[in-house]
Amino acid sequence: RDRGAFTKIWTLKESYTKYKGMGLYLPMNKFNVYKNDDENESWKVAGDDRVCLWQKEFENGSVISVCSDTGNPVSIHIINQEELLNVFSRR
């Protein structure tokens, strides 16, 4: 079995359940995700046209997925601790 494929689908579905505010109270076997036919490499949730999902895989095999209803492509970047502290210190 391809554990990488499982992890990718799991993170996509998990990002959607968090977007909905339900966590695992929304059973993952009750909805499907599929690759969108666009140039943005997004994913969709079957039956919910409001949202798009984006995913990034890192060199170490880690995967992150993001769910958004803005309609705009999401760009995922890794920042280090110093960069994160700089973001919050500007507020």
Side-chain angles (χ1 to χ4, degrees), residues 12 34-44 52-56 66 73-74 76:
L12 288 163
Y34 62 93
K35 188 85 166 132
N36 200 6
D37 292 332
D38 66 2
E39 66 280 352
N40 296 321
E41 305 268 330
S42 67
W43 292 72
K44 298 295 280 179
C52 283
L53 303 139
W54 285 270
Q55 189 169 73
K56 181 173 178 104
V66 177
V74 172
I76 302 169

Side-chain angles (χ1 to χ4, degrees), residues 1-53:
R1 294 184 172 183
D2 185 356
R3 297 186 115 199
F6 172 82
T7 301
K8 290 176 185 177
I9 297 299
W10 178 274
T11 63
L12 288 163
K13 287 186 164 201
E14 184 179 26
S15 70
Y16 180 69
T17 64
K18 288 179 179 179
Y19 163 82
K20 297 290 282 183
M22 298 180 71
L24 294 178
Y25 287 105
L26 175 60
M28 292 202 188
N29 64 348
K30 298 295 182 190
F31 66 96
N32 293 310
V33 295
Y34 62 93
K35 188 85 166 132
N36 200 6
D37 292 332
D38 66 2
E39 66 280 352
N40 296 321
E41 305 268 330
S42 67
W43 292 72
K44 298 295 280 179
V45 176
D48 191 344
D49 292 332
R50 298 169 298 159
V51 299
C52 283
L53 303 139

Side-chain angles (χ1 to χ4, degrees), residues 78-90:
I78 297 297
I79 62 173
N80 62 34
Q81 182 179 2
E82 183 179 334
E83 293 168 312
L84 180 62
L85 291 172
N86 287 336
V87 168
F88 286 104
S89 68
R90 286 183 249 166

